[in-house]
Amino acid sequence: MSIDFGNPDRPNSYIGRTVPRPNAPRLVQGRGRYVDDLSLPRMLHVAFVRSPWGHAKITAIDTAEALACEGVRAIFTGADLAPHCTPWVAVLAHLKGLRSAPQHALAVGRTCWVGEPVAAVVADSRAEAEAAAALVNIDYEELPVLTEIRTALDAETPVIHPELGDNLAFRREHVQGDVEAAFASAHKVISASFKTGRHTGVTLEPRGCLADWNAAEGQLTVWQGTQAPHMIQTVLATHLGLPESKVRVICNDVGGSFGIKVHVYPDEVATAAIAKVMGRPVKFIADRLESFVSDIHARDHEIDGRIAVDETGKILAFDIDDWTGIGPYSVYPRTSAIEGNQVVNLCGGPYDFANYRARTSVVLQNKAPTCQYRAVGHPIATAVTEGLVDLAAEALNMDPAEIRRRNFFADDAYPVTSPANMRFEGLSHQATMDKLLEMMDYEALRRDQAEAREKGIWRGIGLASFIELTNPSPFMYGIGGARISAQDGATVRMDPDGSVVVLSGVTEQGQGTEAMLSQVVAEGVGVRPDQVRVITGDTQVTPYGGGTWASRGAGIGGEAALQAAIALKGAILEVAGAMLQCAPESLSVHEGQIVDREGGAVRMPLSELGRVVYFRGDTLPKGLPRELVQTRHFITMEYPFAFTNGAQASYVEVDRDTGFVKLLKHWCVEDCGRVINPQLVDEQIRGGIVQGLGGALFEECLYDDYGQLLNGSMADYLVPMAVEMPDMQIAHVETPTAESLLGAKGAGEAGTAGAPAAVMNAINDAIRPSGGRILQMPMTPERILRAMGVLSD
C-alpha cells in the first residue's frame, strides 16, 4: 500500500516540499545543546592516557606522581576497571567464522594500537586531568607490529592475538554461475588492482559523553553524541551489570556523525563505568588530536578485480578479491566485517550479468580499528565495478555511457535478484543515466573535452552508476544476535492547543531529521509543520528504535511517524464527528482546522476539540474513544533492504606538469524513493559528494611500519574545503518503495557512494593520452604524476 503524494488532488501535501528546518534558528543563534555544553553539580572530568606504541606489553603503571597533582580525584587502570566492566567480543552469528578477541574498556596487560586507552585520570577539571595524565608513568615492552594487509596471513607474520591462531578475522566467498567458463569464452578480459586509503570522519563535534550515576535510584544517565541511543543503553546495561530499565541515554544536538558515532568506544564505556564507581558525574570530551587515533577509521582495502565481456560489450562475469584491514579488534557491536561483506554484496550492483565470484579477507592489524563509516563499503564496490566497466569500454573502443546502457537491469524488469543474491524491489538505472546525460549535455561536454585536448589541456569525463543499501531489516544485525533494532517507533500526540508533538527513536545528527518528521506528521495529521514539535534521542521518553544509520531515518522512522499521525487523525475525527454530530468520514483536518471533506468548509479549530477532550470530557458521549495520542512502530518485511540507485558524473582537468586536479563540475541523479524535503535531500547528496571527494583526492591516514599515525592532525590530514567543492547539480528520479505508505528509501550516503568512482574515471579519462592509469585513492598529485610516467619510483 502507498499514498500517491504526487496526485494533483493533493496540491497542499507537505511531502515533496522544501520546508525550513525547525531547529535552524536555535542552532544559528548558538543555542544548541551539545555534550560539552552540559554541566552537572559535582561533575568531574576524565582524560585518558593512550598507548604510544603500536603493540606492546604493559609491564608496570606508576600513578603516584599523577595522584599527587592538584584536583586529581582518582586514576583507573585496566585492572582497576575490569571488575566493574566486562569485556566484549564483536562477532555476528550470521557472518560465519567471524572472530575477534575480548576487548576491555581500558587495556589489560597489552596494548594493540597507538591511541588505545590504557589509564584514566579523573580530576576536577579537564586541564587538571590532562596535566596529571602526562605524569602517569607506564613501562612498555615493545612487541612485533603488523601494519600490512597482504602479509597478515603469512606464516612468518606475528599473530596479534595468539588465542585466535592467526590474523584472519573473517573470510567470505560468494560464487554464482560458471565464472571460469565465462572468462574462458570472453572476447575481452580486463584485470586491475585497486587500493583505497584509510580515512576517518573528522566530525565538527568530537566524540563525547557525560555519565551520572544516581545511587538513590540505581540509575545511570548518560548524555552522549550518538546515532543509536537505545543500542548504547543495551551495551552499558550489559557490561556494567545493570537492568536496561536503569540506563537512560540522552542524545541532544550532535555536530555530525557520518557513522563515527554509531559504535561503542572503550573510552566512552570507561567513562560510564568510572561514574558508577565514583558516584559522581564524569565527562569525557575527545580533543581533535586523540580523535584521529581513537575514532574509527574506514576504507582500508586492496582489491584485485577482473571483468569479462563479449564483443558487443555485454558483461559476462566479475571476479573480485578484496583484502581489508580492520585494526586489532572487531568494533562492537556492529563488527568490522560488514564493510568487506558489503563489497561482496554490492560489486556489479547495477548490471545484469550471470557469473560472479567475490571474496573478502578481513585481517587484523596494529592500527586504529576500522568499522562502518558513511556509505559502508559502497564507495569501494562502486569504484571497483565502475573502474572495471570503464576499462572494458576502453578495451572495446566503446563509449562509457553506451556500455552501461547495454548492461543495466531494465527499469521494467523488477523485482530481480542480483548475482550477489541481493533482492531489488525497484530501481531506475536507465532513467537515472538518461537524465544524467541530458542534464550534463554529454555530447557537448565530449566536444569541449576534444577542443581542450587540441590545446594541450587534459580534461576528463567520468561516469558512475551505483546501488545503495538503505532501510535495513533484521537481516543486517538482528539475525546475527546483535541487539540493534531494525524497527523504529513514533508517538504522536495532540495537545490542548491543537499543536502536535512527535517522539521518535530516530536521532537528529544535523541531517534534518526534525524537519523530515515535522513534515511527515503534519501531512498525516493535517496541521502545518510549524505546529509540530519534535522530540528525539531519549531512551526514557521516545519509543524504542534503531536510531540513525544506513539512511534509515526517513524510510523507517518517517514511516512510523506517518502511521502514528494518520492514526491520531482518525482519533481526532472520531471525536469531531461526535461533537459536530456527523459521520467522521465526512470530515478531514487541514492546517489545524476540522473541515468538511467535500468542499473544505471550516467546522472547528483543533484547539476547540482539544479544550473539550482535555477539560470538558464530561460533555462527550460515554464510551467515546478520546485518546489523542497514538504510537506506531514500523519494520520492513518483504525485502531485507530497500535498495536505491543513482548515477554521477564528474568533469575534471588535470595539470600535466603538477598532477593537480581541478574539479570543473559534478552531477548527480539520485533515486531515493519518495523525496520528502527536496532541499534537505539535495543538501545530503552534496555533503556526501564532498565527503566522497575527500576520500578520492585528499584523505588518508598514513602509518609507518611501527604503527605510528604520521598525519594525525588537521595540519597534516587533508579534508576538502569550500575552495575544493565543485559546482554540483542534483536531480532526482522517484521510485517509491511499496513496502510503506510514505514510499521513502534513503539518501544520506548516496553522494559518498558514487563520487569517488566518477572522479577516478574522469581523471583516467583525462590522462589517457599518457597511457597511464590510476586506481589508488586518494589520487594525489604525486600518484597521478607517477601514473602518467612523469615521476618514477
Side-chain angles (χ1 to χ4, degrees):
M1 179 182 178
S2 63
I3 297 175
D4 186 3
F5 292 109
N7 193 312
D9 294 334
R10 303 178 61 89
N12 298 314
S13 173
Y14 287 110
I15 305 301
R17 290 170 58 182
T18 292
V19 174
R21 299 180 183 225
N23 58 343
R26 177 174 58 82
L27 294 176
V28 298
Q29 292 177 43
R31 293 184 175 273
R33 284 179 60 80
Y34 301 91
V35 175
D36 204 24
D37 293 321
L38 305 176
S39 182
L40 299 179
R42 303 173 61 246
M43 186 176 75
L44 300 173
H45 297 258
V46 61
F48 291 94
V49 181
R50 299 184 181 276
S51 172
W53 298 97
H55 195 196
K57 182 179 179 182
I58 302 169
T59 58
I61 301 178
D62 182 358
T63 63
E65 187 177 2
L67 274 170
C69 290
E70 182 177 354
V72 173
R73 301 294 178 173
I75 297 178
F76 292 86
T77 66
D80 296 329
L81 214 54
H84 306 282
C85 180
T86 58
W88 51 86
V89 180
V91 295
L92 292 169
H94 66 300
L95 298 182
K96 302 299 183 183
L98 173 59
R99 303 178 303 162
S100 187
Q103 186 176 7
H104 291 265
L106 296 176
V108 175
R110 188 168 56 108
T111 178
C112 295
W113 86 88
V114 172
E116 182 173 8
V118 178
V121 178
V122 186
D124 292 335
S125 70
R126 170 74 185 205
E128 289 169 327
E130 288 185 342
L135 299 177
V136 175
N137 294 308
I138 304 177
D139 292 333
Y140 295 96
E141 179 184 316
E142 191 175 0
L143 297 172
V145 174
L146 166 59
T147 60
E148 296 300 315
I149 293 176
R150 296 287 187 135
T151 61
L153 303 182
D154 292 354
E156 62 273 17
T157 300
V159 176
I160 295 175
H161 302 294
E163 66 271 27
L164 298 182
D166 58 34
N167 294 312
L168 181 67
F170 176 67
R171 176 169 279 161
R172 176 194 169 198
E173 183 169 16
H174 174 82
V175 180
Q176 180 74 28
D178 193 337
V179 177
E180 292 302 331
F183 277 96
S185 65
H187 176 66
K188 294 284 185 180
V189 173
I190 299 93
S191 301
S193 294
F194 301 80
K195 188 173 182 179
T196 60
R198 273 179 170 245
H199 47 277
T200 188
V202 197
T203 56
L204 285 175
E205 178 201 21
R207 290 187 300 108
C209 64
L210 168 58
D212 183 22
W213 170 250
N214 186 327
E217 297 180 356
Q219 175 161 310
L220 177 70
T221 301
V222 177
W223 290 263
Q224 185 169 338
T226 176
Q227 298 170 239
H230 283 101
M231 182 197 80
I232 296 297
Q233 176 191 32
T234 298
V235 166
L236 293 178
T238 299
H239 295 284
L240 300 184
L242 296 168
E244 284 190 34
S245 61
K246 291 296 185 179
V247 178
R248 180 183 185 184
V249 178
I250 301 173
C251 175
N252 292 322
D253 293 313
V254 179
S257 53
F258 316 128
I260 294 296
K261 297 173 184 174
V262 79
H263 307 292
V264 171
Y265 288 90
D267 46 25
E268 294 172 348
V269 177
T271 301
I274 290 168
K276 184 171 181 290
V277 171
M278 298 190 70
R280 294 181 63 173
V282 179
K283 180 193 282 189
F284 161 63
I285 302 294
D287 66 31
R288 186 61 68 187
L289 293 178
E290 66 183 329
S291 290
F292 273 104
V293 296
S294 64
D295 288 359
I296 64 106
H297 293 177
R299 313 279 203 254
D300 201 356
H301 290 259
E302 298 180 14
I303 300 177
D304 297 324
R306 295 193 297 161
I307 186 173
V309 293
D310 68 15
E311 61 276 5
T312 70
K314 172 65 179 174
I315 297 172
L316 304 177
F318 279 99
D319 187 8
I320 308 296
D321 187 15
D322 168 54
W323 287 75
T324 179
I326 63 166
Y329 297 100
S330 175
V331 176
Y332 190 61
R334 295 169 185 270
T335 83
S336 301
I338 293 294
E339 183 160 278
N341 197 58
Q342 292 291 66
V343 171
V344 174
N345 289 337
L346 299 174
C347 277
Y351 302 112
D352 184 4
F353 61 99
N355 307 290
Y356 183 56
R357 179 168 58 207
R359 184 175 77 160
T360 185
S361 300
V362 180
V363 300
L364 303 173
Q365 313 158 291
N366 293 117
K367 297 181 179 180
T370 73
C371 206
Q372 286 92 309
Y373 170 63
R374 193 174 194 174
V376 186
H378 293 66
I380 293 94
T382 303
V384 171
T385 300
E386 295 301 276
L388 289 171
V389 168
D390 256 32
L391 292 174
E394 182 180 9
L396 294 168
N397 196 27
M398 184 179 293
D399 185 86
E402 179 60 27
I403 194 172
R404 287 171 170 81
R405 282 171 157 159
R406 294 187 184 189
N407 285 284
F408 285 145
F409 283 110
D411 288 356
D412 60 358
Y414 297 95
V416 298
T417 300
S418 77
N421 283 340
M422 296 292 102
R423 294 173 57 204
F424 302 146
E425 176 194 7
L427 301 174
S428 56
H429 292 297
Q430 293 173 316
T432 52
M433 180 57 71
D434 288 347
K435 193 165 189 173
L436 178 77
L437 297 176
E438 179 184 0
M439 185 168 64
M440 61 191 290
D441 198 349
Y442 184 68
E443 297 302 328
L445 214 59
R446 285 294 182 196
R447 291 193 294 271
D448 181 78
Q449 178 192 27
E451 291 170 4
R453 191 161 290 174
E454 289 178 359
K455 301 174 184 176
I457 301 171
W458 284 4
R459 292 178 177 170
I461 303 168
L463 302 176
S465 291
F466 57 92
I467 56 174
E468 181 196 357
L469 182 154
T470 73
N471 294 7
S473 75
F475 279 84
M476 190 81 171
Y477 295 113
I479 63 170
R483 290 174 66 85
I484 300 171
S485 182
Q487 63 93 55
D488 230 293
T491 296
V492 180
R493 180 186 80 228
M494 193 193 94
D495 284 344
D497 64 350
S499 66
V500 176
V501 177
V502 53
L503 299 94
S504 173
V506 178
T507 56
E508 172 67 72
Q509 308 284 313
Q511 80 279 40
T513 290
E514 291 188 23
M516 177 273 293
L517 289 172
S518 70
Q519 286 179 251
V520 168
V521 171
E523 175 73 22
V525 176
V527 297
R528 299 188 310 274
D530 62 10
Q531 293 175 293
V532 179
R533 186 157 55 95
V534 180
I535 297 173
T536 66
D538 187 338
T539 60
Q540 190 165 286
V541 174
T542 62
Y544 201 96
T548 296
W549 47 275
S551 299
R552 67 185 298 279
I556 305 295
E559 178 65 18
L562 179 62
Q563 291 188 14
I566 291 172
L568 175 60
K569 180 179 181 178
I572 290 170
L573 293 179
E574 188 164 2
V575 175
M579 292 175 65
L580 297 171
Q581 298 185 4
C582 63
E585 55 269 21
S586 70
L587 302 171
S588 187
V589 185
H590 178 65
E591 293 194 349
Q593 306 278 346
I594 305 294
V595 301
D596 286 331
R597 184 175 295 276
E598 296 294 332
V602 175
R603 301 292 300 276
M604 179 175 56
L606 285 181
S607 58
E608 175 62 13
L609 185 143
R611 182 190 69 82
V612 172
V613 169
Y614 285 105
F615 308 120
R616 289 303 310 273
D618 60 296
T619 65
L620 296 173
K622 291 182 179 180
L624 176 71
R626 58 191 73 183
E627 298 297 329
L628 300 185
V629 57
Q630 297 288 329
T631 299
R632 293 293 185 273
H633 289 79
F634 177 73
I635 188 171
T636 55
M637 299 294 290
E638 297 298 323
Y639 289 86
F641 312 100
F643 278 96
T644 72
N645 69 276
Q648 293 189 33
S650 187
Y651 194 35
V652 307
E653 183 175 305
V654 177
D655 189 301
R656 297 165 60 181
D657 298 320
T658 66
F660 275 84
V661 176
K662 181 187 293 185
L663 299 167
L664 302 175
K665 196 161 185 178
H666 199 98
W667 299 264
C668 177
V669 178
E670 172 67 15
D671 185 346
C672 59
R674 179 73 62 210
V675 174
I676 298 171
N677 186 314
Q679 185 178 61
L680 285 180
V681 173
D682 288 359
E683 286 175 357
Q684 282 292 294
I685 291 173
R686 286 191 174 91
I689 288 171
V690 173
Q691 209 149 11
L693 296 177
L697 297 172
F698 306 106
E699 299 184 53
E700 185 173 21
C701 298
L702 298 169
Y703 282 82
D704 66 14
D705 293 340
Y706 299 96
Q708 295 289 336
L709 181 62
L710 301 176
N711 59 336
S713 76
M714 294 302 293
D716 302 302
Y717 183 89
L718 299 181
V719 293
M721 296 166 59
V723 70
E724 281 84 34
M725 292 171 58
D727 179 28
M728 289 174 275
Q729 189 173 348
I730 313 298
H732 299 276
V733 171
E734 291 188 62
T735 308
T737 174
E739 280 222 64
S740 66
L741 299 174
L742 191 57
K745 299 178 183 178
E749 299 168 295
T752 308
V759 173
M760 178 186 72
N761 285 341
I763 291 173
N764 283 320
D765 188 40
I767 67 172
R768 185 167 287 112
S770 73
R773 177 185 303 156
I774 182 166
L775 302 174
Q776 180 177 356
M777 297 184 193
M779 295 171 284
T780 62
E782 178 187 358
R783 288 170 178 163
I784 291 172
L785 291 176
R786 291 188 187 281
M788 292 165 54
V790 176
L791 294 179
S792 58
D793 292 329

